Amino acid sequence: MAMIINGRELANEIDGQTKIEVEKLSHEGLIPHLVVILVGEDEASQIYVRNKHKRAESLGIKSTIIRMPVNSSEEELLIKISDLNKDKDVHAILVQLPLPEQINEQRIIEAISPNKDADGFSPINVGKLSSGETYHLPIACTPMGIMEMFKKYSIDLDGKNAVVVGRSNIVGKPMANLLLNENATVTIAHSHTKNITNIIKQADILVVATGIAHFIKKDQVKIGATVIDVGMDRDENGKLTGDVDFEGVKSIASFITPVPKGVGPMTISMLMKQTVNLAKWSI
Amino acid sequence: MAMIINGRELANEIDGQTKIEVEKLSHEGLIPHLVVILVGEDEASQIYVRNKHKRAESLGIKSTIIRMPVNSSEEELLIKISDLNKDKDVHAILVQLPLPEQINEQRIIEAISPNKDADGFSPINVGKLSSGETYHLPIACTPMGIMEMFKKYSIDLDGKNAVVVGRSNIVGKPMANLLLNENATVTIAHSHTKNITNIIKQADILVVATGIAHFIKKDQVKIGATVIDVGMDRDENGKLTGDVDFEGVKSIASFITPVPKGVGPMTISMLMKQTVNLAKWSI
């Protein structure tokens, strides 16, 4: 029976460290400041933005939400970002995705100063991660949170077969780079992959980010594997669930993350930690 | 018996296209200009630099070699790069690696303007490749040359198991990103990989860049695989050879590159093509 990785608990622990760090910096006159830009009124985005705001405030991080109307132009958003890039009081900028269709997401991501890149999506930061140049580097928060889990639970990655299912720029690709930097043998599988069961079956470390509820079943998983579920799906009853059939897989894995209370809570904690780091690195 | 991929022939073909392109641009008053900086007198580097210069001249590309003494400081090299970045007459800059130890390679790579990045090593360009943002993007020349081979020989990558052995920033990592962008399932194996034979055996597409002569033997390769050998090694008699035991493997692969006359000639042709592209993209 697998050990269940408690993402909620680890997130609380990291938040505790972040809070102490913020207090220390405040004494030195530096108050980390995160600015989140929300364009439009997408319901899920509003919840995410509110959660980030609350978490930041609870840790003593200054949090500003800038709301822009759904019909804002790309130009207006670029001007806003340019102002924030120049503002010395702002340490971290996050543009909540998705954006309305008149705005090119990639162009917006590229406009954020790499030194204030709260999400770690800026191409120069992505490139440095790929090259293994990780000194003072902001990195995508979800895979960073997963790396913290490996560390906390002393899960060795060196030489292990790691399979990442899903190749998004937000999770799959940075995850693969982080695992490779820790000397895992890394395979990226995705929607075009053939014989996916055969590939998954060889994973010592399995990270699943497909967005398909219960995509991974017990008989596909190697006995003793570490299984990380990035999914935030709804089952047939509308209940929050993951990409992994947790009940089945936990009987054969050695470590597994649940949904909820697994990867989810870590992402926002890593965003807070990264905001504080960006503030520290700015001086 | 495998079809042997003729890198020399394909390189000549690409050079022919590049030459025509250069002539066209010259008529419009644009002469592509590559500047190669060589610090010190490393023997192999001198040969590489001379070969690039000759090839450029034969194609009508303007080629300048800047030689700096082996004891040049990082600062001196950075000033030189900064001047070239500003010089409108220069379209492509390449700093020949390796550099003397008093100079930080990564800092030099990052100093080259991403718009004049002949090698495609600049972090912002690496990040864009990773994100699949390849419009007007300079990309590492060796893996680009390999992609041209796949195209020329109609080797389908979509959904195929691709294994890249070696994880350098120059070959392995950009190769993995290019294969992933073409919808291959990609595994990166390296010196820490366990059971490497098992992993290699599953490769439909095998790219080997280990620098170890005859690292890959016939019994490790899947029947019908495409085998790309990036090695430039010396055998026990000092003869140029590859990372793959060509004689053995060719009997079971469906496509294979020889050494010499495989990947090697393609790299310099791709550098020439990229120089011309950078010139075109500059206007």
Side-chain angles (χ1 to χ4, degrees):
Chain A
M1 188 66 84
M3 176 172 277
I4 295 168
I5 295 178
N6 192 330
R8 163 67 59 210
E9 199 175 272
L10 180 52
N12 286 341
E13 197 181 309
I14 289 168
D15 284 349
Q17 293 159 357
T18 300
K19 197 168 180 178
I20 291 169
E21 195 71 34
V22 173
E23 274 168 24
K24 263 201 276 182
L25 292 173
S26 299
H27 278 294
E28 297 163 17
L30 179 67
I31 297 168
H33 183 189
L34 170 67
V35 175
V36 175
I37 304 177
L38 174 59
V39 184
E41 307 191 348
D42 179 81
E43 222 169 300
S45 290
Q46 299 219 45
I47 294 170
Y48 295 145
V49 167
R50 203 178 313 134
N51 287 343
K52 288 167 190 168
H53 182 70
K54 273 197 226 158
R55 185 77 68 92
E57 294 217 313
S58 77
L59 302 178
I61 293 170
K62 184 175 170 187
S63 165
T64 304
I65 302 173
I66 296 176
R67 291 171 200 277
M68 296 176 71
V70 67
N71 59 358
S72 302
S73 70
E74 189 173 291
E75 186 60 20
E76 286 170 309
L77 183 51
L78 287 171
I79 290 169
K80 180 52 74 185
I81 291 170
S82 168
D83 290 345
L84 295 169
N85 283 344
K86 287 180 216 141
D87 186 341
K88 282 191 179 155
D89 179 49
V90 172
H91 306 107
I93 304 166
L94 186 157
V95 177
Q96 185 67 43
L97 304 179
L99 288 166
E101 58 181 12
Q102 75 274 16
I103 300 177
N104 181 317
E105 267 183 24
Q106 195 61 29
R107 209 167 295 149
I108 296 304
I109 287 170
E110 291 181 18
I112 296 171
S113 164
N115 301 319
K116 299 189 177 186
D117 177 21
D119 265 333
F121 296 164
S122 165
I124 192 163
N125 291 330
V126 171
K128 285 183 178 178
L129 175 62
S130 168
S131 305
E133 293 286 320
T134 54
Y135 180 73
H136 281 192
L137 183 70
I139 298 172
C141 295
T142 298
M144 276 282 274
I146 294 169
M147 294 307 282
E148 289 287 330
M149 288 174 160
F150 294 141
K151 211 194 298 175
K152 177 72 183 178
Y153 287 81
S154 301
I155 296 164
D156 185 29
L157 302 171
D158 198 308
K160 293 287 158 55
N161 269 349
V163 175
V164 178
V165 188
R167 55 171 162 170
S168 73
N169 292 334
I170 295 172
V171 181
K173 288 175 188 172
M175 186 80 248
N177 280 323
L178 285 163
L179 289 164
L180 189 62
N181 286 346
E182 294 299 322
N183 299 321
T185 302
V186 181
T187 299
I188 307 188
H190 46 80
S191 56
H192 289 243
T193 296
K194 286 166 191 159
N195 296 320
I196 195 158
T197 292
N198 179 38
I199 287 164
I200 289 167
K201 193 84 187 182
Q202 299 176 55
D204 303 307
I205 310 287
L206 180 63
V207 180
V208 191
T210 63
I212 302 167
H214 296 188
F215 181 75
I216 303 287
K217 305 280 195 294
K218 176 183 169 182
D219 58 2
Q220 295 176 294
V221 175
K222 183 175 178 176
I223 294 172
T226 293
V227 181
I228 308 291
D229 188 347
V230 185
M232 297 271 273
D233 315 311
R234 298 281 163 186
D235 70 9
E236 57 274 23
N237 305 314
K239 213 184 122 199
L240 185 64
T241 189
D243 292 354
V244 175
D245 176 17
F246 181 79
E247 289 306 322
V249 173
K250 80 173 180 193
S251 65
I252 58 156
S254 44
F255 294 91
I256 190 167
T257 62
V259 177
K261 295 186 185 166
V263 171
M266 288 298 290
T267 298
I268 196 163
S269 293
M270 296 313 289
L271 174 65
M272 297 302 134
K273 187 177 174 177
Q274 189 136 284
T275 296
V276 174
N277 280 337
L278 288 167
K280 281 161 64 183
W281 299 338
S282 75
I283 49 172
Chain B
M1 189 68 83
M3 174 171 280
I4 294 167
I5 296 179
N6 192 329
R8 163 67 57 210
E9 199 175 272
L10 181 52
N12 287 342
E13 196 180 311
I14 289 169
D15 284 349
Q17 294 160 357
T18 300
K19 198 169 179 177
I20 292 170
E21 194 71 34
V22 172
E23 274 168 24
K24 263 200 277 179
L25 291 173
S26 300
H27 279 293
E28 297 163 18
L30 178 68
I31 297 168
H33 183 190
L34 169 67
V35 176
V36 175
I37 304 177
L38 174 60
V39 184
E41 307 190 349
D42 179 81
E43 222 170 300
S45 290
Q46 298 217 46
I47 295 171
Y48 294 144
V49 167
R50 204 177 314 133
N51 288 343
K52 287 167 191 168
H53 182 70
K54 274 196 229 159
R55 186 76 69 92
E57 293 215 316
S58 77
L59 301 177
I61 293 172
K62 182 174 171 189
S63 166
T64 304
I65 302 174
I66 296 176
R67 292 173 198 276
M68 296 176 69
V70 65
N71 59 357
S72 301
S73 70
E74 189 173 292
E75 187 60 20
E76 285 169 311
L77 182 51
L78 287 172
I79 289 168
K80 182 52 73 187
I81 291 169
S82 168
D83 289 345
L84 295 168
N85 283 343
K86 286 179 216 138
D87 186 342
K88 282 191 180 155
D89 179 49
V90 172
H91 305 108
I93 304 167
L94 186 158
V95 177
Q96 184 67 42
L97 304 180
L99 288 167
E101 58 181 13
Q102 74 275 16
I103 300 177
N104 181 316
E105 266 183 24
Q106 194 60 30
R107 211 167 295 148
I108 297 304
I109 288 170
E110 291 181 20
I112 296 170
S113 164
N115 301 320
K116 299 188 177 187
D117 177 22
D119 266 332
F121 296 165
S122 164
I124 193 163
N125 291 331
V126 171
K128 284 183 179 178
L129 175 62
S130 167
S131 304
E133 293 286 319
T134 54
Y135 180 73
H136 280 192
L137 184 70
I139 296 173
C141 295
T142 299
M144 277 282 273
I146 295 169
M147 295 306 284
E148 288 289 329
M149 288 175 161
F150 294 141
K151 215 196 294 177
K152 178 72 182 174
Y153 287 81
S154 301
I155 296 165
D156 185 29
L157 302 172
D158 199 307
K160 292 289 157 53
N161 268 349
V163 175
V164 179
V165 188
R167 55 171 162 171
S168 73
N169 292 334
I170 295 172
V171 180
K173 287 176 188 172
M175 186 79 247
N177 280 323
L178 285 163
L179 289 163
L180 190 62
N181 287 346
E182 293 300 321
N183 299 322
T185 301
V186 181
T187 299
I188 307 186
H190 47 78
S191 56
H192 289 244
T193 296
K194 288 166 190 158
N195 296 319
I196 195 157
T197 293
N198 180 39
I199 288 166
I200 291 168
K201 194 85 187 179
Q202 298 174 57
D204 302 308
I205 310 288
L206 179 62
V207 180
V208 191
T210 64
I212 302 166
H214 296 187
F215 181 75
I216 302 287
K217 306 279 194 294
K218 176 183 169 183
D219 57 2
Q220 295 176 295
V221 174
K222 183 175 177 175
I223 293 173
T226 293
V227 180
I228 307 291
D229 189 347
V230 185
M232 297 271 273
D233 315 311
R234 296 283 163 186
D235 69 9
E236 57 273 26
N237 305 314
K239 211 184 126 202
L240 185 64
T241 188
D243 292 353
V244 174
D245 175 18
F246 181 78
E247 288 307 322
V249 173
K250 80 172 179 193
S251 66
I252 59 157
S254 44
F255 294 92
I256 189 167
T257 63
V259 177
K261 296 186 185 166
V263 170
M266 287 297 289
T267 298
I268 197 162
S269 292
M270 295 313 289
L271 174 65
M272 296 303 134
K273 186 176 174 177
Q274 188 137 282
T275 296
V276 174
N277 280 337
L278 288 168
K280 281 161 65 182
W281 299 337
S282 74
I283 50 172

